[in-house]
Every structure is written in C-alpha cells, then in structure tokens.
Amino acid sequence: AIALFNIGYGFLRENNQRRELKTLFGQYVPPAHVDQMLMNSQMATMEGESRHMTVLFSDIRSFTTISEGLKANKLKQMLNDFFTPITRTIFDNNGTIDKYVGDMVMAFWNAPLFDENHAEHAVNAAMAMQRMADELIPVFAARNLPEIHIGVGINTGDCVVGNMGSEQRYGYTVLGDAVNLASRLESQSRTYGVDVVIGESTATAVQARFALLELDLIAVKGKSEAVRVFTIVGDMAML
C-alpha cells in the first residue's frame, strides 16, 4: 500500500510540475521548447538567475497617429493580426516573448532554454519581422487599414531572468542594464532612419554572419560611457 501511495504521489507531483511548466511557458516560448521542457523539467527553471542574453524591442512607427484614426475594435483586430505573425516569426527563431505593451513587443533569447547563438537568432528574427511587416502592407491596404512600419532595437549582455512579480500576479521576465539599452536602441531607429539598431556587444557576436554598418557613438541615458551602435545591412550569405 505504501509503495502504491508513493507511486501515485510521485505521478501526481510530476504531473502537477508538468502542468505548471506548460501554464507558465506555453504563452512565452515556441511549442517545441515547451515539449523539451516537459520531457526534462530540469532544462528550465523558474528561479531567478543571471545569464548572458540577447533582448529585442520592437514597436510600430507613428502608432499614436494610427490609433487616432481607427475605432477601438478595428484597432484591436489590426494589432492581433499584426502580432500573430510577428510572434510566430520570433518563435521560429527560438525567441521567448516577454510581453506586449500597446504596439510594443519585447522578446529575449537564451532562456528558458540555453541558446549558444542567441545574438544571431535575435538579429535573424528582426530581419524576418521587417519582411513580415512589409508583407502585411498590401493585406492591410485591402482592408482599408494603414501601412505598418516597425523599428527594432537589439542588445546583448548579462541579465537576470526568472519568474518575477507579486503574490497576485507574476510572469517570466528579464531585467538588467542590457534590457534597458535594448529599449533605448529601438527608439534610436527613428533618429537614424533605419529599421534595426543593435548594440556593440550584439554586433561583435554576429559580425561573422551579418554585414553591419556603424551608425554612431551615442550617449545613452543611464550610461556613463558612449555606446557604439550599428545597423544590419544584410545576411552575408545573401549579399
């Protein structure tokens, strides 16, 4: 009886752990990643930890003007139709969705599963997102919706990642200076009139794969030293 109880308890405990993992990560990571974590729950942890990661921010240009010209239900549908393929593109490149805030999406790489090529995958996702946004232009035009153009900022560095929040609400997210810089780089894409702006650490990690153009040496709020920033010219294999 004790043996049967232990077997049953172990099964229920493992089943609860698997359900918890699926509930937590199912909305953030590609389905294939969830399957890997379910097969081996030790591959991912909900505890806070420090990792070298790549973070991406993207938002829609002139979104305030766009939103003012649309009714609420039409704006909501447009955003849903925009975020669905964008999310799929991030998942296809092994990214993890952190959050959506209005017209902004934040994603990161190298957590919860390890990814040695996280910077390369993030840049590849950014280029694919730009192509996806371009493909949506005629689709939206056919529905009398405005053109959508996006700006992307990417940075690589040490971050803290884990399940964070309050007792009432929490989520799997990433924090750190590298995250803040990625957000500020996204806003610089407007300044320099380019689609993607990446930090120096990301540029160093991907320079063998992608052709880069240095944009400037800029002072960024919260940083004591100027930061070199770059844009992506294209994939070396395609040039």
Side-chain angles (χ1 to χ4, degrees):
I2 293 174
L4 288 173
F5 173 80
N6 287 334
I7 292 173
Y9 176 76
F11 173 80
L12 289 174
R13 182 180 179 184
E14 181 180 354
N15 200 42
N16 286 336
Q17 289 176 335
R18 289 165 63 90
R19 189 183 303 114
E20 186 178 8
L21 270 175
K22 190 169 185 178
T23 300
L24 176 62
F25 291 110
Q27 59 183 320
Y28 300 116
V29 304
H33 284 192
V34 177
D35 293 340
Q36 290 183 54
M37 287 184 286
L38 289 176
M39 287 188 293
N40 183 0
S41 61
Q42 302 303 314
M43 295 179 69
T45 176
M46 291 176 280
E47 301 297 325
E49 60 177 320
S50 178
R51 287 196 189 184
H52 194 68
M53 303 174 65
T54 299
V55 183
L56 176 152
F57 282 84
S58 174
D59 72 0
I60 298 173
R61 301 271 175 81
S62 304
F63 181 70
T64 300
T65 302
I66 291 173
S67 62
E68 289 174 349
L70 295 174
K71 293 183 178 180
N73 61 339
K74 202 166 187 178
L75 178 63
K76 184 194 76 169
Q77 188 59 54
M78 185 192 75
L79 285 175
N80 289 343
D81 292 344
F82 168 74
F83 280 132
T84 296
I86 289 297
T87 298
R88 185 169 60 248
T89 298
I90 292 171
F91 281 178
D92 287 345
N93 287 278
N94 298 324
T96 298
I97 297 293
D98 186 297
K99 61 177 68 75
Y100 306 99
V101 180
D103 63 311
M104 183 274 289
V105 59
M106 174 185 171
F108 54 80
W109 280 257
N110 202 30
L113 298 183
F114 288 100
D115 181 357
E116 293 183 357
N117 299 314
H118 51 91
E120 183 176 312
H121 289 153
V123 171
N124 201 54
M127 296 176 65
M129 288 166 64
Q130 293 290 347
R131 292 194 296 270
M132 182 63 67
D134 289 342
E135 291 172 5
L136 285 174
I137 291 176
V139 175
F140 283 2
R143 294 161 49 191
N144 294 318
L145 292 173
E147 288 189 9
I148 282 184
H149 301 279
I150 63 174
V152 180
I154 302 174
N155 189 50
T156 301
D158 293 332
C159 305
V160 175
V161 63
N163 208 26
M164 306 178 202
S166 67
E167 292 182 356
Q168 290 77 25
R169 184 174 181 178
Y170 56 86
Y172 191 71
T173 189
V174 61
L175 304 171
D177 287 341
V179 179
N180 298 334
L181 182 54
S183 176
R184 294 187 173 104
L185 293 181
E186 186 282 318
S187 64
Q188 292 297 322
S189 66
R190 301 179 185 85
T191 303
Y192 293 98
V194 295
D195 295 331
V196 182
V197 176
I198 67 174
E200 184 173 3
S201 53
T202 305
T204 300
V206 304
Q207 60 185 351
R209 164 78 186 278
F210 297 98
L212 309 175
L213 174 66
E214 184 170 353
L215 296 172
D216 208 345
L217 184 66
I218 63 172
V220 179
K221 184 179 179 181
K223 286 285 189 181
S224 58
E225 298 182 1
V227 177
R228 295 173 68 201
V229 296
F230 301 76
T231 191
I232 307 297
V233 176
D235 191 323
M236 291 283 200
M238 305 295 291
L239 297 177

